[in-house]
Amino acid sequence: MLIIRDAVQADVPGILEIYNDAVRNLAATFDLEEKTLEERMEWFSHYGGAHPLIVAELDGKVAGYSSLSQFREKEAYKSTVELSLYIAPDCRGRGLGKALMAEILKLAKQNGFHTVISGITAGNEVSVRLHEQFSFDYIGNFREVGKKFGVWQDVLFYQLMLE
């Protein structure tokens, strides 16, 4: 059974496992070294309130997560958030991304944000299609802004206006 809920501190090891898999195997994150549990606990402390972190729990296990982060630190950006979404490798293709996206966007609206931005590494067609299903618009390509797996990576930006 799939449950979408707010993340709690006990979820951090499961979130860490999903994230570190992405660090090792995907260009979805530009981190090059795996994170420690202590680093992820500190990261976790930045969420809550207007900037939620939610998990998809499947059969009692954290199978994916999504968050809304501050887009930029300057005050004028406070109504804009950046969305992140990760799914465990053995849980992809089961609709978890769609369920997490629906919930995180509902929370973005409830929290009064004006717009949501997502950066997607070029070539991640599954993520592009997911964002397009939720009416995100393609707004630009930052060319060769990160080097991972020995290859320069482009980042595509997508935006959803909430108001």
Side-chain angles (χ1 to χ4, degrees):
M1 178 175 183
L2 177 64
I3 299 168
I4 305 293
R5 59 172 176 76
D6 289 338
V8 296
Q9 197 169 30
D11 296 323
V12 175
I15 290 168
L16 176 66
E17 185 177 325
I18 293 167
Y19 189 75
N20 280 342
D21 177 78
V23 170
R24 288 188 305 272
N25 299 304
L26 303 174
T29 174
F30 282 3
D31 275 324
L32 301 176
E33 294 184 19
E34 294 182 31
K35 297 296 181 183
T36 66
L37 183 57
E38 293 76 25
E39 288 170 323
R40 269 300 168 189
M41 285 294 194
E42 198 281 325
W43 167 87
F44 176 81
S45 73
H46 295 273
Y47 292 95
H51 295 96
L53 171 62
I54 60 174
V55 296
E57 179 183 314
L58 188 61
D59 301 325
K61 173 188 162 196
V62 175
Y65 68 93
S66 185
S67 63
L68 295 177
S69 303
Q70 184 178 3
F71 178 66
R72 298 281 190 267
E73 290 188 25
K74 294 184 175 32
E75 185 69 18
Y77 288 116
K78 71 180 181 180
S79 295
T80 300
V81 286
E82 186 167 1
L83 185 149
S84 294
L85 194 151
Y86 290 88
I87 305 295
D90 60 335
C91 297
R92 294 180 188 138
R94 299 164 115 187
L96 277 69
K98 191 172 185 176
L100 281 166
M101 181 72 85
E103 182 63 20
I104 205 73
L105 291 177
K106 182 176 101 178
L107 293 170
K109 288 177 188 175
Q110 286 175 356
N111 290 334
F113 290 110
H114 177 67
T115 187
V116 179
I117 304 289
S118 286
I120 304 170
T121 307
N124 187 345
E125 294 306 315
V126 171
S127 187
V128 167
R129 283 193 308 274
L130 177 64
H131 283 76
E132 288 173 346
Q133 284 178 356
F134 283 88
S135 300
F136 277 75
D137 294 315
Y138 170 77
I139 57 169
N141 179 9
F142 286 12
R143 296 180 55 223
E144 298 184 3
V145 293
K147 194 170 192 178
K148 188 154 185 191
F149 307 129
V151 177
W152 284 109
Q153 305 286 339
D154 293 358
V155 177
L156 313 176
F157 280 85
Y158 281 77
Q159 180 177 22
L160 178 66
M161 303 302 296
L162 298 173
E163 298 180 341

